[in-house]
Amino acid sequence: MLKNKYPIFMIIPSFLYIVFFFIFPMVWLFVMAFSFIDLKSWSFRFAGFNNFAMIIKDEEFVPSLIRTILYGAYVSIGGSVIGLLLALLANQKIKGIGVFRAFLVIPWCIPPIISGYLWLWIFDANFGFLNRLLYTLQLIKRYIIFVTRENALIMSSIPAIWVQSSFTSLICLSALQGIPIDIYEASEIDGATSFKRFLYITFPFIRPIWALAFIINFTIGFIMFDIIYVMTAGGPGTSTLLLSILLYREAFLKLRIETGAALACIQLVVMLILCTLYLLLLYRRRE
Amino acid sequence: MKSIKSIFLYLLLMIGLMYILLPFYWLVCTSFMTLTELGAKEQSLIPNHFTLENYFQVILGGYSYGASQGAIFLRSILPYIGRSFIVAVSTAILVIILASPAAYAYSRFNFKGKNIFFFIMLLLRSVPPIAIVVPFFMIMLRMQLINTLPGIILAHTSFTLPFSIWIFKDYLDALPRVLDEAAVIDGASPIIAFSRIILPNAKPGIFAVFIYTFLTSWSEFLYALVLLSSETTLPPLLAGFQAANQVAWTQLAAASVISVILPVIMAFLMQKYLIKGLVIITKGF
């Protein structure tokens, strides 16, 4: 239809940019993960699977991998369920619903480290809102420490759940608004209860999108760094030491660049698997 | 029966609103409190001695004297806001310049390697920024762009670009092809058709890309932490408040309120575009 040489010129700038600043770093990541690196002389020496062996030998690795998967699961389940409820609520046709919809976007649009702080403030043992509220209502005699070694992982997933529930509700709401109204009207004439209507009309309609949100929420939890960094920084003890925090410590605090790169490779592979799942869902939906 | 149902709905709505807004309540309260008041357990749930001092201290900088903590030196937040703003706007502009022609080519032309390129874009979207932070750091070290704003702008551009092309293409697909084909038939080159006809008509798409990249850049923490050491953007400054183990709570609250205002206002004003960009995640190609 149109001449063929123009599209190349239009694509080349972004293509080169992505090759240089995205694909090249990815290739280099794998090179680094399989090398011994001397930072002073910039010399690389082939190391085989040595760096990966180092990681697996590290007693922190397996527990932190399990914690990361758990954290992803918390964010995924919490964010998706609460997000769906928020979307159903925001889809009600009552007065003032526009205000609610407008506020729905807030948790998702603010910087994650501030979400971390917000909830840290609520749970803090000395200045936290929850302690003060319970104390004022005389439900507790003295301030409680809410974030302990046992529950730190769940507590630190709350800000991420809060953010992802906002995200989930936004995409589910736009799906809900795409449901043709006459389906509801027909079901009302047939005398379906609202619960049945949800079960047989609403939910099947938005289920594919909800499933996508479920996976996306998991990946967000799986790579979470910001919220953990400000809320617990991996502690107390190692109770919230996720892969991302471990990676940061290895590469930038202990300056063991190779092991950091090897950790990143593991993260990357998991993410690619999850992304394939996401694409499969996306395409099945399209057909 | 109907009114009971609507009362119930409003009750649920109130709970939903509290879930979203209550976390902010204590942040805002704390930012108007003195440290002494914050530390006292007997105080009520609202600031009694309303003060703007935290905001002055955070904006002007200087020494702050806490209740029992001795003096803490606070840096003025203004240069950090400035840098965050410069980085976010530059990233957004760079992304728009790079993404819009590419998206146009995708939307309108058939060419060799189109599908492969698109597949790469799709795959890259799943690469989390944290996974390539180490090699990116090394490249910036080599290019001597550590601790410079161009370094962080390049970083933010690289991981918002693939998704931006996707957002923009979706908008262009919705624009009638007749628009630019008519221009081409009249003798204009596709470049002219793109810049004169398509871009002015694709403003919503540009807004959507702008707000997505701006908010991502404004919030981004890890790369700013790793690539910038002294003159950072806002997030590392905020994260650094508690690093010294003496959390300047009230000042931190004020700084947090300040850094949240801009994204919240932008999200309110451009909500339509923000959500349209977001919803693209649920569409295929």
Side-chain angles (χ1 to χ4, degrees):
Chain A
M1 93 208 191
L2 296 168
K3 267 189 221 155
N4 239 351
K5 64 177 180 182
Y6 291 107
I8 300 304
F9 288 118
M10 300 179 115
I11 282 176
I12 274 179
S14 56
F15 184 69
L16 287 182
Y17 193 95
I18 283 168
V19 167
F20 195 76
F21 289 110
F22 212 138
I23 296 175
F24 178 54
M26 266 170 75
V27 173
W28 216 14
L29 175 74
F30 283 95
V31 173
M32 284 161 74
F34 290 97
S35 317
F36 295 116
I37 302 171
D38 182 18
L39 272 179
K40 275 183 201 136
S41 59
W42 281 85
S43 65
F44 289 65
R45 209 151 44 75
F46 183 66
F49 281 94
N50 223 308
N51 297 323
F52 291 93
M54 284 273 288
I55 290 174
I56 292 168
K57 259 187 242 155
D58 185 348
E59 55 186 19
E60 290 305 335
F61 173 70
V62 175
S64 84
L65 180 66
I66 294 169
R67 274 193 290 266
T68 310
I69 293 170
L70 270 178
Y71 189 84
Y74 295 152
V75 176
S76 180
I77 295 168
S80 309
V81 171
I82 298 174
L84 181 64
L85 294 176
L86 287 174
L88 290 172
L89 195 56
N91 197 37
Q92 301 297 323
K93 312 240 167 347
I94 51 176
K95 243 185 199 164
I97 199 72
V99 181
F100 183 66
R101 283 183 197 163
F103 280 123
L104 216 48
V105 75
I106 289 182
W108 183 67
C109 78
I110 67 167
I113 69 162
I114 294 194
S115 330
Y117 273 139
L118 287 179
W119 290 91
L120 187 64
W121 251 298
I122 287 177
F123 295 127
D124 188 78
N126 299 313
F127 309 114
F129 180 68
L130 197 55
N131 262 323
R132 188 163 293 210
L133 183 70
L134 294 176
Y135 190 83
T136 312
L137 296 174
Q138 301 199 321
L139 292 172
I140 52 173
K141 289 273 183 305
R142 68 165 80 116
Y143 280 17
I144 314 172
I145 297 171
F146 286 105
V147 182
T148 60
R149 195 185 276 261
E150 285 72 35
N151 67 11
L153 196 63
I154 291 184
M155 293 308 249
S156 61
S157 74
I158 291 175
I161 289 174
W162 185 66
V163 173
Q164 288 315 109
S165 67
S166 155
F167 164 83
T168 309
S169 70
L170 291 172
I171 61 171
C172 284
L173 179 61
S174 71
L176 284 172
Q177 287 170 342
I179 302 180
I181 287 189
D182 40 335
I183 299 186
Y184 282 113
E185 281 165 356
S187 73
E188 213 155 319
I189 292 165
D190 292 345
T193 61
S194 18
F195 180 69
K196 271 194 170 161
R197 252 182 310 179
F198 171 76
L199 211 60
Y200 294 112
I201 304 172
T202 316
F203 191 66
F205 198 87
I206 60 167
R207 196 178 51 204
I209 282 178
W210 194 62
L212 287 180
F214 205 86
I215 297 175
I216 294 172
N217 291 344
F218 185 88
T219 62
I220 299 283
F222 192 79
I223 60 166
M224 182 49 74
F225 176 78
D226 306 15
I227 287 174
I228 301 284
Y229 185 94
V230 297
M231 232 185 140
T232 58
T238 56
S239 55
T240 56
L241 187 67
L242 304 188
L243 282 186
S244 52
I245 299 281
L246 197 63
L247 190 162
Y248 176 74
R249 281 190 187 173
E250 285 290 324
F252 297 106
L253 299 181
K254 296 181 184 164
L255 291 177
R256 289 199 290 232
I257 297 273
E258 316 84 314
T259 35
L263 273 170
C265 278
I266 295 170
Q267 260 190 328
L268 198 58
V269 168
V270 174
M271 287 297 290
L272 288 178
I273 294 170
L274 288 169
C275 176
T276 315
L277 198 64
Y278 162 79
L279 287 180
L280 282 176
L281 279 174
L282 206 61
Y283 278 93
R284 225 181 54 194
R285 188 172 158 245
R286 236 177 126 204
E287 275 154 17
Chain B
M1 186 61 202
K2 196 116 195 179
S3 67
I4 291 174
K5 199 189 160 196
S6 79
I7 287 170
F8 182 65
L9 267 180
Y10 278 110
L11 204 70
L12 286 178
L13 214 58
M14 283 307 294
I15 295 173
L17 265 183
M18 272 168 63
Y19 169 74
I20 294 166
L21 294 179
L22 206 62
F24 288 97
Y25 170 76
W26 194 237
L27 174 78
V28 176
C29 280
T30 312
S31 74
F32 292 120
M33 282 181 180
T34 61
L35 206 57
T36 331
E37 188 183 356
L38 183 69
K41 288 181 182 172
E42 293 76 23
Q43 292 297 333
S44 60
L45 298 166
I46 50 166
N48 283 329
H49 310 284
F50 184 87
T51 173
L52 283 174
E53 184 148 350
N54 299 316
Y55 286 91
F56 284 124
Q57 277 174 347
V58 164
I59 290 171
L60 299 174
Y63 285 94
S64 146
Y65 296 93
S68 58
Q69 311 182 329
I72 309 169
F73 182 72
L74 285 173
R75 291 184 208 178
S76 163
I77 199 175
L78 290 179
Y80 292 85
I81 294 178
R83 280 191 287 270
S84 265
F85 194 78
I86 291 170
V87 169
V89 170
S90 314
T91 303
I93 292 173
L94 188 57
V95 165
I96 289 169
I97 291 173
L98 289 169
S100 58
Y104 178 67
Y106 275 127
S107 171
R108 293 297 198 264
F109 297 95
N110 277 317
F111 50 90
K112 243 187 192 170
K114 179 175 173 173
N115 289 332
I116 294 172
F117 191 91
F118 232 69
F119 182 71
I120 292 174
M121 290 291 168
L122 201 73
L123 214 60
L124 289 186
R125 233 193 71 66
S126 72
V127 175
I130 190 168
I132 56 166
V133 69
V134 177
F136 206 95
F137 173 77
M138 302 280 275
I139 292 171
M140 291 293 128
L141 204 63
R142 250 300 145 83
M143 290 171 71
Q144 307 212 318
L145 286 172
I146 291 291
N147 213 9
T148 65
L149 293 190
I152 194 83
I153 292 168
L154 289 174
H156 290 174
T157 302
S158 80
F159 45 75
T160 49
L161 188 55
F163 190 50
S164 297
I165 294 177
W166 194 359
I167 296 179
F168 209 75
K169 177 191 172 281
D170 193 72
Y171 268 88
L172 293 179
D173 283 346
L175 274 185
R177 275 158 189 265
V178 189
L179 269 179
D180 45 322
E181 274 169 10
V184 172
I185 288 165
D186 286 349
S189 74
I191 306 272
I192 300 286
F194 168 68
S195 58
R196 295 276 166 81
I197 311 286
I198 292 298
L199 276 189
N201 279 299
K203 269 185 200 143
I206 295 176
F207 287 153
V209 171
F210 184 88
I211 187 160
Y212 160 70
T213 43
F214 186 96
L215 289 180
T216 308
S217 170
W218 185 267
S219 304
E220 203 282 326
F221 172 56
L222 177 66
Y223 279 70
L225 180 72
V226 168
L227 295 180
L228 305 173
S229 57
S230 54
E231 305 197 321
T232 65
T233 51
L234 269 177
L237 175 79
L238 293 172
F241 264 88
Q242 57 163 183
N245 220 357
Q246 299 182 316
V247 187
W249 285 99
T250 51
Q251 285 95 347
L252 173 56
S256 300
V257 170
I258 293 172
S259 45
V260 154
I261 288 173
L262 189 68
V264 168
I265 291 176
M266 277 184 80
F268 269 137
L269 290 180
M270 300 174 93
Q271 184 142 37
K272 203 173 73 188
Y273 306 115
L274 189 62
I275 291 174
K276 268 211 165 152
L278 185 68
V279 167
I280 289 170
I281 293 174
T282 62
K283 292 183 187 169
F285 283 101

